[in-house]
Amino acid sequence: MRMAIGQADAVKGTTYPNPPVGAVILDRDGEVAGVGGTQPAGEAHAEVVALRRAGTRAAGGTAVVTLEPCNHQGRTGPCVDALLDAGVAAVVFAVSDPNPVAAGGAQRLTDAGVTVSSGVLADDVSGGPLREWLHRQRTGRPHVTWKFGASIDGRSAAADGTSQWITGAAARADVHRHRAVADAIVVGTGTVLSDDPTLTARLTDGTLAARQPLRVVVGEREISSESNILNDESRTMVIRTHDPLEVLQALSDRTDVILEGGPTLAGAFVRAGLVDRILAYLAPTLLGGPITAIDDVGVPTISQARRWRFDGVATVGADVRLSLVPN
Ligand SMILES: NC(=O)c1ccc[n+]([C@@H]2O[C@H](COP(=O)([O-])OP(=O)(O)OC[C@H]3O[C@@H](n4cnc5c(N)ncnc54)[C@H](OP(=O)(O)O)[C@@H]3O)[C@@H](O)[C@H]2O)c1
C-alpha cells in the first residue's frame, strides 16, 4: 500500500476530475508485477495501468489500491470489470469510494468470489494523496491550504511591508513543488500591490513547471495591468469581492486551492471557517513589528482560541515546515 500511495502522490494534480489513485498488482507469489497511477481524465485509471503492466501475472494475484475500485462506466469502463477480467484473487484497498455513482465496487468483487479487504493505511491515504479530493466530495468545495512564511515570532513581513524572502531557498522550492500540483493560488490585492508576485510554479533552475495553477486576486482595488501576476506565464482571475465563500464558489470546479494571501485575506478565510489545512514555513529569524501572519481571526478570549492539530513537522533547509489540520 505504501508503494500504491507513492504512485498516487506522483500523479497528484494531473487527474482532475478523477481522484489521484495508485495501484500495485502482486502476482500469486506476492511479487510486484505492475504498478500504476490514475492517468489524465478520459484515460486509464490506476488499476488498469497496473494490470496492463502486470499482464498475465495478475491472474490469481492481489490488487492493492488506495481507493475502492470503481463500479462505474464513465469515460472509461469500471475498474471492477478490468480486475475480474484479469482474474485477480484478492483486492486490498485503503478508502471506500464516497461517490455514490462510483461506489459498490467492493460488493461486486465480493459477489464475484474475490477476497476483499479495506481500511489498510486508510489514514495515510485520506490525509495524504486523497485529502483534497475527499474534502471536495464531502463538502462540494475545493480544499483550501493557507500557506505562509513567517519569522519565528509570527511576522510575515518587516515593518516597511517587505517580505521577500523570509524563508530560504529550500522552503521556496518546496512551495513551488506544491504550486505545481495545485489548481489555484489565491491572494488579496494587498499582496499584489506590495510584493508584485508572479505566483507561478517554477523548477529549481528557475524555469516554469509544466503545470501552472490558476492565479486568483481577491479585492476591489484596481491592480496595474503591468503587475507580474497578469503576465502570460499562467492564467489569472480577478474576483471583486471580500466574501471568501464567493471566492470558493468561483473556484467550485477546482480541488486543491492554496491561499497565499497576506494577513487580511488569511483572517477572512479563517473567520469564515474555510481553511482546511495550514502550512507554515517558519524561519529562524526575528522581525517583530506590526505585520503578523494573520489579522483578526475572531478570537476575543483564550477560551475561544481556534485549536488545530499538527499533522506534520519537517525541517526544510534552515527552516521548519509545520502542517496543521483542524482539531
Ligand atoms: N510572508 C508571507 O507568506 C506573505 C504572503 C502574502 C503577503 N505577505 C505580506 O502581507 C502584506 C500585505 O498584506 P495584506 O493584508 O494587505 O494582503 P492581502 O490579504 O493579500 O490583501 C488584502 C486586501 O484584500 C482585499 N480583501 C479581500 N477580502 C477581504 C476581506 N474579507 N476583508 C478585507 N479585505 C479583503 C482588500 O483589498 P481591496 O481594498 O482591494 O478590496 C484588502 O486590502 C505585505 O507586506 C506582504 O509582503 C506576506
Side-chain angles (χ1 to χ4, degrees), residues 5-6 14 26 28 31 53 58 86 90 116 141 159 176 190 281-282:
I5 291 173
T14 64
L26 305 175
R28 51 175 84 233
E31 299 292 328
R53 292 187 181 147
V116 176
R141 287 194 306 269
H176 280 264
Y281 292 85
L282 298 184

Side-chain angles (χ1 to χ4, degrees), residues 149 156 161 163 188-191 194-195 219-221 242 260-265 268:
S156 65
S163 68
T189 53
T191 296
S194 70
D195 294 353
E220 286 159 6
R221 276 171 293 174
H242 280 184
E260 291 203 31
T264 311
L265 196 61

Side-chain angles (χ1 to χ4, degrees), residues 12 16-17 19 29 45-46 52 59 100 125 146-147 153 189-190 196 293-294 300 312 315 325:
K12 205 167 172 179
Y16 178 85
D29 299 324
H45 291 185
R52 274 184 203 148
V125 172
W146 170 42
K147 169 259 144 188
D153 54 335
T189 53
D196 195 20
I294 192 160
T315 49
V325 292

Side-chain angles (χ1 to χ4, degrees), residues 23 26 28 40 60-61 75 112 134 144 153 167-168 170 176 178 184 198 217-218 248 261-262 280 288 303 320 326:
L26 305 175
R28 51 175 84 233
R75 284 206 259 167
L134 287 170
V144 176
D153 54 335
T167 52
H176 280 264
H178 186 189
T198 308
V217 184
V218 182
L248 294 191
S303 62
V320 174

Side-chain angles (χ1 to χ4, degrees), residues 13-188:
T14 64
T15 64
Y16 178 85
N18 295 323
V21 174
V24 176
I25 306 295
L26 305 175
D27 66 16
R28 51 175 84 233
D29 299 324
E31 299 292 328
V32 172
V35 299
T38 313
Q39 298 304 293
E43 295 174 36
H45 291 185
E47 296 89 324
V48 172
V49 177
L51 284 170
R52 274 184 203 148
R53 292 187 181 147
T56 54
R57 289 175 68 198
T62 299
V64 182
V65 196
T66 55
L67 179 67
E68 179 182 357
C70 75
N71 184 29
H72 162 242
Q73 176 69 50
R75 284 206 259 167
T76 63
C79 291
V80 165
D81 288 359
L83 290 163
L84 292 175
D85 290 348
V88 301
V91 171
V92 176
F93 65 90
V95 175
S96 298
D97 197 324
N99 176 359
V101 180
Q107 190 59 51
R108 256 198 72 208
L109 289 164
T110 306
D111 292 348
V114 174
T115 306
V116 176
S117 38
S118 63
V120 175
L121 294 184
D123 290 348
D124 295 55
V125 172
S126 60
L130 279 184
R131 180 178 174 85
E132 291 82 5
W133 183 83
L134 287 170
H135 173 91
R136 191 163 184 278
Q137 294 292 315
R138 205 168 49 237
T139 64
R141 287 194 306 269
H143 177 280
V144 176
T145 298
W146 170 42
K147 169 259 144 188
F148 68 95
S151 56
I152 198 66
D153 54 335
R155 269 37 182 198
S156 65
D160 67 353
T162 51
S163 68
Q164 289 167 328
W165 306 101
I166 295 174
T167 52
R172 292 204 298 281
D174 202 56
V175 170
H176 280 264
R177 275 193 295 277
H178 186 189
R179 284 181 182 171
V181 298
D183 299 311
I185 307 182
V186 179
V187 295

Side-chain angles (χ1 to χ4, degrees), residues 200 208 212 215 227-236:
T200 45
L208 286 174
Q212 293 295 326
R215 302 174 290 190
S227 303
N228 286 328
I229 201 170
L230 296 178
N231 72 12
D232 58 10
E233 293 179 333
S234 180
R235 286 160 307 135
T236 305

